[in-house]
Amino acid sequence: MKSVLAIETSCDDTSVALVREDHFVECCLVASQDLAHSPYGGVVPEIASRNHSLHLLPLIDEALKRTQKSWDDILGVAVTNRPGLIGSLIVGLVTAKTLALAKNKPLIGVHHIEGHILAPFLKDETYQGPDFYDQNFLALVVSGGHTQLYQVNGYGHYINCGETIDDAAGEAFDKFAKMLKLPYPGGVHIDRLALQGNSKAYDFPRPLLKEKDFSFSGLKSSAQRLLQTLTAEEIEKEKANLCASYQKSIVDVLIAKLERAIDQTGIRNFIVSGGVSANSQLRLEADKLAQKKKCQIALPPLRYCTDNAAMIGLVGLLRLQKGETSHQDIAPIARVSL
């Protein structure tokens, strides 16, 4: 069975995957740059693009070697071309264009958010995603740069039901972690500390709770003002409670908007995806919501929550199967809606 070779370089993680025609992930490799960006407390675009240049070709060689695939087994080359950091996108896109041209393979440019929407429908040796990707479902995509809610009317048909107007949820987590002097990336450390804390200890705001769109900049400012009233010793003592309360505020907003969308549309299938979908509290509350509303839920395993090429490969595969390809003049785009 043939496969799509996929490349993901939209931000800091370099990823390469091979996804088979039956949606099975044969191989998904990721070169993390966390250590490179950790001293700065966030992603430095120039460092990210430079490291993509170092990691990408060796990862492609390794993926082909591990799966014992030759270029005769490759259906096409899928690559993220939008949205993302321009420098990072360029590295992946130029590489994909060159390989597609040199090997005479179709090129498929992929929207990064569409990848996250399809991530729960991947399959591998230990995970079998559901098959409602071609039906109506709701998709909550939550990551460092994106917080968006979509109504998906079958694959490829997306209605925007709300998006962030400033800081995304993942960004709000990372910035609060930086305030608390937690290691980078901060979201996972907040999650771990929150498990030991009392989520009712501090009353953080639930911004735009009853509105369509998302906003977390006010929450971040509220947290900063609160921390300014505490001593360093008090902050250290209260870290777990602060993390639990802050996390609860974000999760409450995400779940409330998802529940309202379920009520308004009557759709009983939904997915939660993106890097923040790895958060244990969000996963727990999403499961509770599914049980409450009698919905079918799809949560990707942790390896497919963060940026990965497997999700890009699945989108590329579905586009190829519909006869869609991209031209060699396809460009990287930093910001663009789905």
Side-chain angles (χ1 to χ4, degrees), residues 70-124:
S70 72
W71 279 96
D72 291 336
D73 303 311
I74 302 302
L75 289 167
V77 182
V79 60
T80 305
N81 78 299
R82 64 201 191 277
L85 301 175
I86 281 292
S88 293
L89 290 171
I90 286 173
V91 175
L93 189 55
V94 168
T95 303
K97 284 182 176 184
T98 303
L99 289 172
L101 197 61
K103 303 297 182 178
N104 194 29
K105 299 294 179 180
L107 174 71
I108 313 100
V110 174
H111 195 294
H112 181 77
I113 299 302
E114 190 172 20
H116 279 306
I117 290 174
L118 271 293
F121 305 103
L122 291 163
K123 300 176 182 180
D124 59 29

Side-chain angles (χ1 to χ4, degrees), residues 40-311:
Y40 310 98
V43 176
V44 181
E46 291 80 4
I47 293 175
S49 55
R50 189 181 312 135
N51 280 320
H52 286 312
S53 298
L54 295 172
H55 296 151
L56 187 50
L57 287 177
L59 283 180
I60 293 171
D61 288 340
E62 179 65 20
L64 292 171
K65 180 180 177 182
R66 286 195 188 187
T67 57
Q68 297 183 324
K69 294 276 188 179
S70 72
W71 279 96
D72 291 336
D73 303 311
I74 302 302
L75 289 167
V77 182
V79 60
T80 305
N81 78 299
R82 64 201 191 277
L85 301 175
I86 281 292
S88 293
L89 290 171
I90 286 173
V91 175
L93 189 55
V94 168
T95 303
K97 284 182 176 184
T98 303
L99 289 172
L101 197 61
K103 303 297 182 178
N104 194 29
K105 299 294 179 180
L107 174 71
I108 313 100
V110 174
H111 195 294
H112 181 77
I113 299 302
E114 190 172 20
H116 279 306
I117 290 174
L118 271 293
F121 305 103
L122 291 163
K123 300 176 182 180
D124 59 29
E125 292 181 353
T126 59
Y127 174 73
Q128 295 291 316
D131 289 323
F132 61 72
Y133 67 90
D134 57 350
Q135 303 172 28
N136 290 358
F137 66 93
L138 295 170
L140 177 63
V141 180
V142 199
S143 66
H146 309 278
T147 302
Q148 293 162 314
L149 181 60
Y150 292 97
Q151 177 180 330
V152 183
N153 295 328
Y155 167 67
H157 303 281
Y158 309 106
I159 298 173
N160 190 325
C161 298
E163 61 186 349
T164 185
I165 59 176
D166 43 51
D167 287 358
E171 185 178 3
F173 272 123
D174 285 341
K175 288 185 177 177
F176 186 59
K178 193 171 183 179
M179 294 179 206
L180 294 178
K181 296 181 172 57
L182 297 175
Y184 174 84
V188 63
H189 297 284
I190 289 178
D191 192 6
R192 289 170 184 166
L193 280 169
L195 294 173
Q196 309 164 29
N198 177 8
S199 63
K200 298 180 180 179
Y202 296 93
D203 186 21
F204 287 110
R206 271 67 173 166
L208 297 188
L209 190 63
K210 297 182 179 180
E211 305 297 326
K212 171 187 174 183
D213 290 320
F214 299 85
S215 169
F216 294 105
S217 62
L219 171 63
K220 180 190 66 180
S221 299
S222 174
Q224 188 173 37
R225 288 193 296 270
L226 172 63
L227 293 181
Q228 288 171 348
T229 69
L230 303 175
T231 65
E233 292 77 14
E234 288 172 329
I235 292 174
E236 187 62 34
K237 181 181 177 182
E238 287 294 303
K239 267 186 181 178
N241 289 337
L242 286 163
C243 287
S245 301
Y246 188 85
Q247 176 176 274
K248 184 67 162 55
S249 172
I250 293 176
V251 171
D252 281 354
V253 170
L254 296 173
I255 294 298
K257 292 180 184 290
L258 182 54
E259 182 172 7
R260 186 163 63 249
I262 291 170
D263 291 339
Q264 290 176 346
T265 64
I267 294 174
R268 288 296 180 267
N269 297 325
F270 72 85
I271 67 104
V272 182
S273 190
V276 179
S277 70
N279 180 274
S280 62
Q281 184 68 31
L282 178 57
R283 295 175 82 88
L284 177 64
E285 295 301 327
D287 273 327
K288 287 181 180 178
L289 178 62
Q291 293 174 25
K292 174 184 175 183
K293 296 293 183 180
K294 295 181 173 56
C295 293
Q296 183 178 7
I297 180 177
L299 291 169
L302 299 188
R303 58 188 172 277
Y304 301 138
C305 290
T306 52
D307 294 349
N308 65 89
M311 65 185 192

